[in-house]
Amino acid sequence: VVENASEEGYGAIVPARRGEWLQVGVLIGFKPDAEGSTWGAAIVRRVETDQRGQRRVGIQVITRGASPGTMCALRNLGGRGERGTPHAVVLLDWQPSKSGYLQVLVRPDSFTMRDALEATRTADGKTFVLMASGVVESGPDFERVRFKLQAANAAAA
């Protein structure tokens, strides 16, 4: 039950029998009730149990426009480019920023952060060639990684 909502997050009460999995750092998806709203991604930042045994959670929104996609490593083996195994990811931005950065949620240890990676947005098949710039945040089941769009792909974006 949402108690309060803002652009930055939500405060909610979660019934005890339904919230055992909730802990600080857990990634959750959400979709507001408003017509036409899109899926977003958020992280649980606070979990408290009050005097009556109700669990209260504080949830920070990291995006209101998450987009599913895939990502694979690009390798140059013997002079020919090959793609590694694609992994499901969540693109936190629809397009790279004006400075050429894009944030993506990946499963821990999905990729070596030294490889060039190709991200594909599921909705329209748009691809981006990226290099990891750094891990912004890690949780028990995700890494939020900042990627830099590669110059060869920057004009196409």
Side-chain angles (χ1 to χ4, degrees):
V1 177
V2 174
E3 285 187 305
N4 59 61
S6 71
E7 282 297 310
E8 293 81 29
Y10 298 94
I13 298 174
V14 180
R17 67 186 181 283
R18 299 184 71 196
E20 295 84 14
W21 58 273
L22 280 175
Q23 61 181 332
V24 172
V26 168
L27 176 70
I28 59 174
F30 69 94
K31 187 171 184 186
D33 288 336
E35 187 175 324
S37 61
T38 59
W39 281 95
I43 299 173
V44 175
R45 296 295 188 197
R46 176 180 45 84
V47 178
E48 299 171 346
T49 304
D50 66 16
Q51 307 89 319
R52 295 177 300 193
Q54 292 181 319
R55 296 188 74 187
R56 296 179 181 275
V57 297
I59 301 165
Q60 179 189 13
V61 172
I62 58 174
T63 185
R64 291 187 178 274
S67 179
T70 59
M71 188 175 274
C72 61
L74 296 175
R75 298 183 182 100
N76 188 5
L77 302 174
R80 65 180 199 281
E82 288 189 13
R83 287 174 173 75
T85 304
H87 295 271
V89 298
V90 177
L91 304 172
L92 297 179
D93 306 298
W94 186 254
Q95 289 285 353
S97 68
K98 290 181 181 182
S99 56
Y101 289 95
L102 184 73
Q103 288 193 42
V104 182
L105 295 174
V106 301
R107 291 195 182 277
D109 303 320
S110 296
F111 306 101
T112 66
M113 297 299 168
R114 294 179 305 275
D115 292 333
L117 301 166
E118 181 181 79
T120 303
R121 196 169 48 215
T122 302
D124 60 2
K126 173 80 174 158
T127 62
F128 305 96
V129 176
L130 307 166
M131 287 295 292
S133 176
V135 175
V136 175
E137 179 174 20
S138 294
D141 56 355
F142 74 95
E143 286 183 337
R144 180 176 166 193
V145 182
R146 185 174 189 227
F147 290 93
K148 176 75 171 163
L149 186 67
Q150 294 302 282
N153 206 14

